[in-house]
């Protein structure tokens, strides 16, 4: 009998050949309990999360892309290569919901991030088109304070000239250096041109390889 761990060692997800939506959940307690490793994606509302997920998986309509920010309000699970879960978390910082909704979403996000033992890595999406925001910096500092491993993913980079992109990313790192001695890994992505896809999938593959060894 081939165990799940053995199957994982045989095929590392350097490329995604299969991706399917599993279900949406309202809390960490309701999420799958099959032990598969998980990689969570989160960012400020309207950061381009759905477009990035569709680009990484190669399935245009897998995650629902909407012109209205704040549409993701559940914990969405996608099974990748039948080996691991890509977890689409609600966006943070969306002001056009009630205070009660904001509290509910915050509790949902924190409950998942702080309690989920299967979580191997969080990817925090940052809009490269704007200067560093207080809410993004507070969010990554909170992850660091709780020892949650994460990487930064700069999105929408195709909209900027190279010098502008470099300036905005360095500005974010400058703010982080006020609290951080070592910066987390980061990726520069473009959903339109599939920029950063290979680098991110190789990174995920290496994490899974290290876990299986």
């Amino acid at each position: 009998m081939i165990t799940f761990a053995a199957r994982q060692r045989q095929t590392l997800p350097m490329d995604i050949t299969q991706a399917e939506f599993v279900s949406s959940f309202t809390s960490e307690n309701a999420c799958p309990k099959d032990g598969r490793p998980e990689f969570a994606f989160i960012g400020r509302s309207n950061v381009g999360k759905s477009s990035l997920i569709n680009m990484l998986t190669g399935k245009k309509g897998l995650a629902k892309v909407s012109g209205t920010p704040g549409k993701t309000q559940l914990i969405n699970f996608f099974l990748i290569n039948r080996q691991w879960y890509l977890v689409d978390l609600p966006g943070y910082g969306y002001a056009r919901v009630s205070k009660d909704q904001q509290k509910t979403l915050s509790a949902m996000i924190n409950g998942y991030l702080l309690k989920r033992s299967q979580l191997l890595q969080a990817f925090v999406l940052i809009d490269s088109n704007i200067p560093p925001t207080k809410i993004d910096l507070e969010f990554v500092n909170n992850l660091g304070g709780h020892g949650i491993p994460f990487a930064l993913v700069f999105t929408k980079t195709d909209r900027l000239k190279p010098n502008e992109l470099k300036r905005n990313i360095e500005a974010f790192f400058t703010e982080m250096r006020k609290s951080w001695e070592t910066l987390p890994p980061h990726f520069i992505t473009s959903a339109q041109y599939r920029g950063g896809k290979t680098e991110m999938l190789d990174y995920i593959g290496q994490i899974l390889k290290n876990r299986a060894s």
Side-chain angles (χ1 to χ4, degrees):
M1 178 178 179
I2 300 177
T3 65
F4 170 68
R7 290 198 303 270
Q8 188 181 63
R9 285 193 295 269
Q10 289 175 357
T11 307
L12 293 175
M14 301 301 184
D15 189 25
I16 292 178
T17 58
Q18 188 173 34
E20 59 184 279
F21 173 70
V22 176
S23 190
S24 299
F25 305 94
T26 58
S27 69
E28 186 275 334
N29 289 336
C31 292
K33 297 176 173 61
D34 57 20
R36 285 184 170 92
E38 298 170 12
F39 296 84
F41 286 65
I42 189 169
R44 205 166 41 82
S45 295
N46 204 32
V47 74
K49 179 160 51 69
S50 295
S51 296
L52 179 74
I53 290 172
N54 292 339
M55 181 270 283
L56 288 176
T57 60
K59 298 187 70 171
K60 187 175 181 179
L62 186 67
K64 303 301 182 183
V65 178
S66 172
T68 304
K71 294 295 286 185
T72 303
Q73 297 191 7
L74 295 169
I75 303 172
N76 299 315
F77 269 65
F78 301 91
L79 181 60
I80 308 299
N81 291 354
R82 297 181 179 176
Q83 295 178 335
W84 53 277
Y85 288 116
L86 188 159
V87 183
D88 179 10
L89 293 173
Y92 56 81
Y94 185 53
R96 295 184 184 179
V97 295
S98 68
K99 290 185 178 180
D100 286 342
Q101 285 177 301
Q102 290 179 13
K103 290 181 180 178
T104 298
L105 291 175
S106 179
M108 188 187 304
I109 293 168
N110 289 331
Y112 174 86
L113 292 172
L114 297 178
K115 298 178 182 178
R116 197 66 177 169
S117 60
Q118 296 95 323
L119 176 64
L120 299 189
Q121 186 86 11
F123 291 98
V124 182
L125 279 59
I126 306 294
D127 189 340
S128 66
N129 290 258
I130 60 177
T133 64
K134 180 180 179 182
I135 192 168
D136 282 334
L137 292 165
E138 287 180 344
F139 188 82
V140 298
N141 286 338
N142 186 53
L143 289 180
H146 287 95
I148 298 171
F150 72 93
L152 299 175
V153 181
F154 292 96
T155 63
K156 306 178 181 180
T157 60
D158 51 89
R159 302 182 183 183
L160 293 173
K161 295 179 179 178
N163 288 340
E164 294 173 327
L165 175 62
K166 182 179 179 181
R167 182 172 63 246
N168 285 353
I169 292 176
E170 187 53 42
F172 195 90
F173 288 151
T174 296
E175 292 299 319
M176 283 196 70
R177 289 188 184 98
K178 295 177 181 179
S179 305
W180 293 73
E181 292 184 2
T182 303
L183 296 176
H186 73 278
F187 300 90
I188 298 174
T189 68
S190 165
Q192 181 176 359
Y193 297 110
R194 296 187 294 178
K197 178 176 181 176
T198 299
E199 292 82 359
M200 288 190 68
L201 292 183
D202 284 354
Y203 181 69
I204 290 172
Q206 188 59 52
I207 292 174
L208 290 172
K209 181 179 178 180
N210 293 341
R211 179 179 184 269
S213 60

